[in-house]
Amino acid sequence: MVQRLSDKDAGFEAKFADLLAGKREVSEDVDHIVRDILENVRTHGDRAVLDYTREFDRLDAAAMAELTVTSAEIEAAAGKVPRETLDALQLAHDRIHAHHARQMPKDDRYTDALGVELGSLWTAVEAVGIYVPGGTASYPSSVLMNAVPAKVAGVERIVMVVPSPDGVLSPLVLAAAGIAGVTEIYRIGGAQAVAALAYGTDTIAPVAKIVGPGNAFVAAAKRRVFGTVGIDMIAGPSEVLIVADGDNNADWLAADLLAQAEHDTAAQSILITDSADLADQVETAVEAQLKTLPREDVARASWRDFGAIILVDSLEAAMPLANRIAPEHLELAVADPEALLKKVRNAGAVFLGHYTPEAIGDYVGGSNHVLPTARSARFSSGLSVLEFVKRTSVLKCSADNLRALGPAAIALGEAEGLCAHARSVSIRLNL
Amino acid sequence: MVQRLSDKDAGFEAKFADLLAGKREVSEDVDHIVRDILENVRTHGDRAVLDYTREFDRLDAAAMAELTVTSAEIEAAAGKVPRETLDALQLAHDRIHAHHARQMPKDDRYTDALGVELGSLWTAVEAVGIYVPGGTASYPSSVLMNAVPAKVAGVERIVMVVPSPDGVLSPLVLAAAGIAGVTEIYRIGGAQAVAALAYGTDTIAPVAKIVGPGNAFVAAAKRRVFGTVGIDMIAGPSEVLIVADGDNNADWLAADLLAQAEHDTAAQSILITDSADLADQVETAVEAQLKTLPREDVARASWRDFGAIILVDSLEAAMPLANRIAPEHLELAVADPEALLKKVRNAGAVFLGHYTPEAIGDYVGGSNHVLPTARSARFSSGLSVLEFVKRTSVLKCSADNLRALGPAAIALGEAEGLCAHARSVSIRLNL
């Protein structure tokens, strides 16, 4: 039985607030281990990376060269991937590239009414590290979603790290890296890989920013190296919220709910509908489809522990709830999705109508699938080209401009007790 | 004697690397205290805020109403500020507003060649908290720099917290808040104020993002509530790098170096020049001006401990060094600053020519003075409207679009072992 709420119930607000406040992740406390790993790699460089790789990945390499993936290996990997999958990766790449190219911010140089020249100039981050998890969570689509925006931004060095526990490395991941134009690949992972990227070693030059998902060790390491390098958000378990009217195919919606649930036992799938019939049909369809899934156990645990069906009096009432949930993924499976879209305030990505299952956005829609989780869409956005560029502001005054603006700057500098600030202006004006 | 380097010296690279690696801040370990404060405020709300305010700010209030600043108080504060300073604040506000209005990102809805509808829609963060330090670091210019971009972005609630130790509150800060359009003000500070903003209390509704500088307690609290709310960067001590040719007024450059140095003993001022004569003249001028500064002690310690003059063979050689330093503020005091600007890769803000002292950017230039410190301009940008908006991506497929894209999504879902992903597509295509 999945959790059912109705906005007609007494106590609905309290139950809904509980749903919002629910923690779905237990964060492992690995911070003390990670601190030691970072310190060791910072001090001993390649040597420490090799040691940790032997210990954690059971991969015995005598030198970093053995952990460096060559272009021949990337080509060989592509040869092992079925043609159809390679074509799908290429299609995904091209669509992601085209969409992200539109996000590239433009320089803005201008002269204001006073004659002061101002500007905002954008430049790419020089070197970026992309963390790709090993094992079952090694997704080629994630390689594309992280690397392509960096490429579009103009990042010159894109360094991928991916652990290969017991020597196993997904050919799909290497093929995706090849397609995305990753410039260096190392078969290393965990906190040691994050440290190597942040501090640099003899083999690996340091990067300026590290992105990509990882386990508790990787997340803790990213938090700790933040400042030395930039990091992306720390992603939580995936979520979908479907807002649906009564005129829906319950099997389709059930499939969408389960597509999230199969990710992780901590994933969350919620349906909000104004149709009690549809609510019942979807619940039945989920149960039926669960039995047929290869990842049934994961999906069943997620749906049982964190799934919810919320019955609302009207679709009008759905949107304020959706905005409070601030879901990573929001499907608007209604007759007029554009009308509801106007009311969306907090969501990572919105999927409109009956023919846009969220999985399209995961792979080939073109938009990014790295999106804000755990209600963070209230204050943050999905991954984009903006994460791989930075803005420098520009100011240029003539002597006349300084005469016009200077007195106000002097007044404020003095009011703040910063007399050297005031002096740096007045000295140029012979005041 | 300030540190002098020359790129002709043997060992220059090692010395320069040391300069880059130098830590200027000792971070106080207050994390365990902050954890308790956050927990207490989360649990006991207003009561805990009142208790901590009594303890830390020596301000005994029986109820939060006494700590809430009324619009009458804001008006009264403005009355205490000299007309000239109010006018300067208003000019600063108007110029900051005009510059930041140009940063507002535009929605992008489009249909691609396949007929798929895509989009990026921007919305404002609903509620933002602005932390303003008390005491001597209570700067009205910072109120403007943090609040105006939020206002431009369309943030509905802008909640300012500012401690008033012993009841003392800067009228300038209140006046600036009034001019900037801050919507709520509380006389609270420290970790307790951050907690109140993040978790909410009976009096203070929670915000979605917290920005603004603060002491070690505030920084630790912001790190801890990150995730529950968004935060801005944690700012370090201020920095300026001046690249100057021989044709400069040494007194002007000395004034600019000292304008940074007076901020903080941990501030850093660096001059790079190709003229040994200018290097000597500036060093002499700094010594002479130091003696006349009200904040001489602070400025002298900063210049002595962290200041540097770097002599280079040519200005060409200066820019690679500047990009490695990645300074918060970069002055290009040269005959052709535009030529050097083209070579700037990493800098928070650039000030061109001889009549643009950095202090203009602190107050009335129009660009933001909240800028990346400690070399973080390699991967991050100054505060802008972008920090107060977030992007929602939009995807809309027709049945035909899904037929075109679906097979690739199914192939990738299956390749990743995510069969429910594949199913959510195939079920709509009767595959």
Side-chain angles (χ1 to χ4, degrees), chain B residues 20-42:
Chain B
L20 285 186
K23 281 263 175 284
R24 310 205 306 276
E25 261 189 318
V26 183
S27 53
E28 238 182 301
D29 187 13
V30 296
D31 205 43
H32 56 292
I33 307 173
V34 165
R35 192 188 50 208
D36 289 348
I37 296 174
L38 296 185
E39 199 44 47
N40 249 326
V41 174
R42 197 213 274 260

PDB file of all heavy atoms in Angstrom, chain B residues 20-42:
ATOM      1  N   LEU B  20      51.117  32.081  -4.196  1.00  0.00           N
ATOM      2  CA  LEU B  20      49.789  31.581  -4.557  1.00  0.00           C
ATOM      3  C   LEU B  20      49.213  30.668  -3.485  1.00  0.00           C
ATOM      4  O   LEU B  20      48.016  30.694  -3.204  1.00  0.00           O
ATOM      5  CB  LEU B  20      49.859  30.764  -5.859  1.00  0.00           C
ATOM      6  CG  LEU B  20      50.014  31.509  -7.175  1.00  0.00           C
ATOM      7  CD1 LEU B  20      49.921  30.516  -8.323  1.00  0.00           C
ATOM      8  CD2 LEU B  20      48.946  32.581  -7.323  1.00  0.00           C
ATOM      9  N   ALA B  21      50.061  29.846  -2.902  1.00  0.00           N
ATOM     10  CA  ALA B  21      49.585  28.828  -1.962  1.00  0.00           C
ATOM     11  C   ALA B  21      49.358  29.386  -0.565  1.00  0.00           C
ATOM     12  O   ALA B  21      48.740  28.732   0.271  1.00  0.00           O
ATOM     13  CB  ALA B  21      50.583  27.674  -1.908  1.00  0.00           C
ATOM     14  N   GLY B  22      49.865  30.614  -0.322  1.00  0.00           N
ATOM     15  CA  GLY B  22      49.797  31.171   1.020  1.00  0.00           C
ATOM     16  C   GLY B  22      48.375  31.267   1.562  1.00  0.00           C
ATOM     17  O   GLY B  22      47.485  31.755   0.876  1.00  0.00           O
ATOM     18  N   LYS B  23      48.188  30.773   2.761  1.00  0.00           N
ATOM     19  CA  LYS B  23      46.885  30.902   3.437  1.00  0.00           C
ATOM     20  C   LYS B  23      46.910  32.185   4.251  1.00  0.00           C
ATOM     21  O   LYS B  23      47.809  32.418   5.026  1.00  0.00           O
ATOM     22  CB  LYS B  23      46.655  29.729   4.382  1.00  0.00           C
ATOM     23  CG  LYS B  23      46.201  28.472   3.706  1.00  0.00           C
ATOM     24  CD  LYS B  23      44.671  28.334   3.781  1.00  0.00           C
ATOM     25  CE  LYS B  23      44.185  27.128   2.986  1.00  0.00           C
ATOM     26  NZ  LYS B  23      44.202  27.361   1.527  1.00  0.00           N
ATOM     27  N   ARG B  24      45.894  33.040   4.055  1.00  0.00           N
ATOM     28  CA  ARG B  24      45.887  34.303   4.771  1.00  0.00           C
ATOM     29  C   ARG B  24      44.901  34.300   5.925  1.00  0.00           C
ATOM     30  O   ARG B  24      44.864  35.228   6.712  1.00  0.00           O
ATOM     31  CB  ARG B  24      45.559  35.453   3.810  1.00  0.00           C
ATOM     32  CG  ARG B  24      46.424  35.422   2.544  1.00  0.00           C
ATOM     33  CD  ARG B  24      46.575  36.769   1.905  1.00  0.00           C
ATOM     34  NE  ARG B  24      45.302  37.424   1.629  1.00  0.00           N
ATOM     35  CZ  ARG B  24      44.561  37.197   0.548  1.00  0.00           C
ATOM     36  NH1 ARG B  24      44.957  36.333  -0.362  1.00  0.00           N
ATOM     37  NH2 ARG B  24      43.428  37.840   0.377  1.00  0.00           N
ATOM     38  N   GLU B  25      44.099  33.229   6.006  1.00  0.00           N
ATOM     39  CA  GLU B  25      43.075  33.200   7.041  1.00  0.00           C
ATOM     40  C   GLU B  25      43.261  31.996   7.940  1.00  0.00           C
ATOM     41  O   GLU B  25      43.477  30.885   7.458  1.00  0.00           O
ATOM     42  CB  GLU B  25      41.710  33.042   6.388  1.00  0.00           C
ATOM     43  CG  GLU B  25      40.947  34.301   6.246  1.00  0.00           C
ATOM     44  CD  GLU B  25      39.551  33.963   5.790  1.00  0.00           C
ATOM     45  OE1 GLU B  25      39.410  33.088   4.922  1.00  0.00           O
ATOM     46  OE2 GLU B  25      38.614  34.569   6.305  1.00  0.00           O
ATOM     47  N   VAL B  26      43.131  32.198   9.214  1.00  0.00           N
ATOM     48  CA  VAL B  26      43.053  31.068  10.124  1.00  0.00           C
ATOM     49  C   VAL B  26      41.578  30.894  10.428  1.00  0.00           C
ATOM     50  O   VAL B  26      40.931  31.801  10.949  1.00  0.00           O
ATOM     51  CB  VAL B  26      43.822  31.357  11.431  1.00  0.00           C
ATOM     52  CG1 VAL B  26      43.789  30.140  12.341  1.00  0.00           C
ATOM     53  CG2 VAL B  26      45.246  31.758  11.107  1.00  0.00           C
ATOM     54  N   SER B  27      41.006  29.752  10.038  1.00  0.00           N
ATOM     55  CA  SER B  27      39.571  29.614  10.290  1.00  0.00           C
ATOM     56  C   SER B  27      39.360  29.042  11.683  1.00  0.00           C
ATOM     57  O   SER B  27      39.845  27.986  12.038  1.00  0.00           O
ATOM     58  CB  SER B  27      38.912  28.759   9.214  1.00  0.00           C
ATOM     59  OG  SER B  27      39.578  27.536   9.094  1.00  0.00           O
ATOM     60  N   GLU B  28      38.627  29.823  12.442  1.00  0.00           N
ATOM     61  CA  GLU B  28      38.293  29.442  13.800  1.00  0.00           C
ATOM     62  C   GLU B  28      37.389  28.216  13.779  1.00  0.00           C
ATOM     63  O   GLU B  28      36.445  28.149  12.990  1.00  0.00           O
ATOM     64  CB  GLU B  28      37.467  30.591  14.387  1.00  0.00           C
ATOM     65  CG  GLU B  28      38.004  31.226  15.628  1.00  0.00           C
ATOM     66  CD  GLU B  28      37.025  32.303  16.078  1.00  0.00           C
ATOM     67  OE1 GLU B  28      36.773  33.243  15.288  1.00  0.00           O
ATOM     68  OE2 GLU B  28      36.508  32.182  17.178  1.00  0.00           O
ATOM     69  N   ASP B  29      37.641  27.247  14.622  1.00  0.00           N
ATOM     70  CA  ASP B  29      36.790  26.075  14.641  1.00  0.00           C
ATOM     71  C   ASP B  29      35.629  26.279  15.612  1.00  0.00           C
ATOM     72  O   ASP B  29      35.752  26.068  16.812  1.00  0.00           O
ATOM     73  CB  ASP B  29      37.578  24.826  15.002  1.00  0.00           C
ATOM     74  CG  ASP B  29      36.691  23.595  14.851  1.00  0.00           C
ATOM     75  OD1 ASP B  29      35.599  23.724  14.255  1.00  0.00           O
ATOM     76  OD2 ASP B  29      37.077  22.523  15.332  1.00  0.00           O
ATOM     77  N   VAL B  30      34.516  26.709  15.075  1.00  0.00           N
ATOM     78  CA  VAL B  30      33.353  26.990  15.918  1.00  0.00           C
ATOM     79  C   VAL B  30      32.197  26.065  15.552  1.00  0.00           C
ATOM     80  O   VAL B  30      31.063  26.273  15.952  1.00  0.00           O
ATOM     81  CB  VAL B  30      32.907  28.459  15.754  1.00  0.00           C
ATOM     82  CG1 VAL B  30      33.990  29.405  16.247  1.00  0.00           C
ATOM     83  CG2 VAL B  30      32.585  28.773  14.290  1.00  0.00           C
ATOM     84  N   ASP B  31      32.524  25.021  14.777  1.00  0.00           N
ATOM     85  CA  ASP B  31      31.480  24.199  14.188  1.00  0.00           C
ATOM     86  C   ASP B  31      30.608  23.492  15.230  1.00  0.00           C
ATOM     87  O   ASP B  31      29.406  23.354  15.051  1.00  0.00           O
ATOM     88  CB  ASP B  31      32.119  23.180  13.238  1.00  0.00           C
ATOM     89  CG  ASP B  31      31.134  22.725  12.180  1.00  0.00           C
ATOM     90  OD1 ASP B  31      30.418  23.579  11.636  1.00  0.00           O
ATOM     91  OD2 ASP B  31      31.063  21.511  11.925  1.00  0.00           O
ATOM     92  N   HIS B  32      31.214  23.055  16.329  1.00  0.00           N
ATOM     93  CA  HIS B  32      30.422  22.335  17.339  1.00  0.00           C
ATOM     94  C   HIS B  32      29.461  23.276  18.066  1.00  0.00           C
ATOM     95  O   HIS B  32      28.340  22.901  18.402  1.00  0.00           O
ATOM     96  CB  HIS B  32      31.340  21.598  18.323  1.00  0.00           C
ATOM     97  CG  HIS B  32      32.326  22.499  19.005  1.00  0.00           C
ATOM     98  ND1 HIS B  32      33.358  23.110  18.324  1.00  0.00           N
ATOM     99  CD2 HIS B  32      32.420  22.920  20.287  1.00  0.00           C
ATOM    100  CE1 HIS B  32      34.061  23.855  19.169  1.00  0.00           C
ATOM    101  NE2 HIS B  32      33.513  23.756  20.361  1.00  0.00           N
ATOM    102  N   ILE B  33      29.903  24.520  18.294  1.00  0.00           N
ATOM    103  CA  ILE B  33      29.018  25.512  18.926  1.00  0.00           C
ATOM    104  C   ILE B  33      27.865  25.836  17.977  1.00  0.00           C
ATOM    105  O   ILE B  33      26.697  25.888  18.372  1.00  0.00           O
ATOM    106  CB  ILE B  33      29.794  26.820  19.236  1.00  0.00           C
ATOM    107  CG1 ILE B  33      31.064  26.505  20.049  1.00  0.00           C
ATOM    108  CG2 ILE B  33      28.904  27.816  19.964  1.00  0.00           C
ATOM    109  CD1 ILE B  33      31.959  27.727  20.251  1.00  0.00           C
ATOM    110  N   VAL B  34      28.227  26.033  16.706  1.00  0.00           N
ATOM    111  CA  VAL B  34      27.225  26.397  15.705  1.00  0.00           C
ATOM    112  C   VAL B  34      26.177  25.294  15.557  1.00  0.00           C
ATOM    113  O   VAL B  34      24.982  25.558  15.423  1.00  0.00           O
ATOM    114  CB  VAL B  34      27.922  26.717  14.365  1.00  0.00           C
ATOM    115  CG1 VAL B  34      26.924  26.730  13.216  1.00  0.00           C
ATOM    116  CG2 VAL B  34      28.650  28.054  14.470  1.00  0.00           C
ATOM    117  N   ARG B  35      26.626  24.045  15.594  1.00  0.00           N
ATOM    118  CA  ARG B  35      25.690  22.919  15.466  1.00  0.00           C
ATOM    119  C   ARG B  35      24.621  22.989  16.564  1.00  0.00           C
ATOM    120  O   ARG B  35      23.433  22.820  16.309  1.00  0.00           O
ATOM    121  CB  ARG B  35      26.472  21.596  15.569  1.00  0.00           C
ATOM    122  CG  ARG B  35      25.673  20.373  15.169  1.00  0.00           C
ATOM    123  CD  ARG B  35      26.477  19.120  15.487  1.00  0.00           C
ATOM    124  NE  ARG B  35      26.964  19.172  16.864  1.00  0.00           N
ATOM    125  CZ  ARG B  35      28.066  18.570  17.311  1.00  0.00           C
ATOM    126  NH1 ARG B  35      28.832  17.887  16.486  1.00  0.00           N
ATOM    127  NH2 ARG B  35      28.416  18.665  18.584  1.00  0.00           N
ATOM    128  N   ASP B  36      25.053  23.276  17.777  1.00  0.00           N
ATOM    129  CA  ASP B  36      24.106  23.373  18.896  1.00  0.00           C
ATOM    130  C   ASP B  36      23.138  24.540  18.720  1.00  0.00           C
ATOM    131  O   ASP B  36      21.938  24.411  18.994  1.00  0.00           O
ATOM    132  CB  ASP B  36      24.866  23.553  20.222  1.00  0.00           C
ATOM    133  CG  ASP B  36      25.591  22.280  20.625  1.00  0.00           C
ATOM    134  OD1 ASP B  36      25.327  21.219  20.017  1.00  0.00           O
ATOM    135  OD2 ASP B  36      26.436  22.350  21.543  1.00  0.00           O
ATOM    136  N   ILE B  37      23.679  25.669  18.285  1.00  0.00           N
ATOM    137  CA  ILE B  37      22.816  26.848  18.090  1.00  0.00           C
ATOM    138  C   ILE B  37      21.754  26.546  17.034  1.00  0.00           C
ATOM    139  O   ILE B  37      20.556  26.826  17.229  1.00  0.00           O
ATOM    140  CB  ILE B  37      23.672  28.077  17.675  1.00  0.00           C
ATOM    141  CG1 ILE B  37      24.638  28.472  18.801  1.00  0.00           C
ATOM    142  CG2 ILE B  37      22.762  29.257  17.305  1.00  0.00           C
ATOM    143  CD1 ILE B  37      25.635  29.577  18.427  1.00  0.00           C
ATOM    144  N   LEU B  38      22.173  25.950  15.933  1.00  0.00           N
ATOM    145  CA  LEU B  38      21.211  25.642  14.863  1.00  0.00           C
ATOM    146  C   LEU B  38      20.121  24.704  15.385  1.00  0.00           C
ATOM    147  O   LEU B  38      18.927  24.909  15.130  1.00  0.00           O
ATOM    148  CB  LEU B  38      21.926  24.984  13.671  1.00  0.00           C
ATOM    149  CG  LEU B  38      22.975  25.821  12.926  1.00  0.00           C
ATOM    150  CD1 LEU B  38      23.495  25.057  11.707  1.00  0.00           C
ATOM    151  CD2 LEU B  38      22.412  27.164  12.478  1.00  0.00           C
ATOM    152  N   GLU B  39      20.542  23.681  16.105  1.00  0.00           N
ATOM    153  CA  GLU B  39      19.593  22.694  16.602  1.00  0.00           C
ATOM    154  C   GLU B  39      18.592  23.333  17.563  1.00  0.00           C
ATOM    155  O   GLU B  39      17.391  23.069  17.511  1.00  0.00           O
ATOM    156  CB  GLU B  39      20.374  21.566  17.301  1.00  0.00           C
ATOM    157  CG  GLU B  39      19.599  20.291  17.462  1.00  0.00           C
ATOM    158  CD  GLU B  39      18.829  19.892  16.205  1.00  0.00           C
ATOM    159  OE1 GLU B  39      19.432  19.939  15.102  1.00  0.00           O
ATOM    160  OE2 GLU B  39      17.629  19.573  16.319  1.00  0.00           O
ATOM    161  N   ASN B  40      19.113  24.195  18.425  1.00  0.00           N
ATOM    162  CA  ASN B  40      18.262  24.881  19.393  1.00  0.00           C
ATOM    163  C   ASN B  40      17.234  25.787  18.726  1.00  0.00           C
ATOM    164  O   ASN B  40      16.071  25.817  19.123  1.00  0.00           O
ATOM    165  CB  ASN B  40      19.139  25.744  20.309  1.00  0.00           C
ATOM    166  CG  ASN B  40      19.175  25.189  21.704  1.00  0.00           C
ATOM    167  OD1 ASN B  40      18.187  24.636  22.168  1.00  0.00           O
ATOM    168  ND2 ASN B  40      20.312  25.337  22.368  1.00  0.00           N
ATOM    169  N   VAL B  41      17.680  26.535  17.737  1.00  0.00           N
ATOM    170  CA  VAL B  41      16.751  27.435  17.044  1.00  0.00           C
ATOM    171  C   VAL B  41      15.741  26.624  16.248  1.00  0.00           C
ATOM    172  O   VAL B  41      14.553  26.946  16.197  1.00  0.00           O
ATOM    173  CB  VAL B  41      17.503  28.430  16.129  1.00  0.00           C
ATOM    174  CG1 VAL B  41      16.519  29.247  15.301  1.00  0.00           C
ATOM    175  CG2 VAL B  41      18.400  29.345  16.956  1.00  0.00           C
ATOM    176  N   ARG B  42      16.189  25.521  15.661  1.00  0.00           N
ATOM    177  CA  ARG B  42      15.265  24.681  14.905  1.00  0.00           C
ATOM    178  C   ARG B  42      14.163  24.136  15.820  1.00  0.00           C
ATOM    179  O   ARG B  42      13.003  24.057  15.448  1.00  0.00           O
ATOM    180  CB  ARG B  42      16.034  23.525  14.251  1.00  0.00           C
ATOM    181  CG  ARG B  42      15.228  22.851  13.127  1.00  0.00           C
ATOM    182  CD  ARG B  42      15.530  21.391  13.040  1.00  0.00           C
ATOM    183  NE  ARG B  42      16.681  21.053  12.229  1.00  0.00           N
ATOM    184  CZ  ARG B  42      16.583  20.609  10.964  1.00  0.00           C
ATOM    185  NH1 ARG B  42      15.416  20.507  10.382  1.00  0.00           N
ATOM    186  NH2 ARG B  42      17.676  20.274  10.312  1.00  0.00           N
TER     187      ARG B  42
END
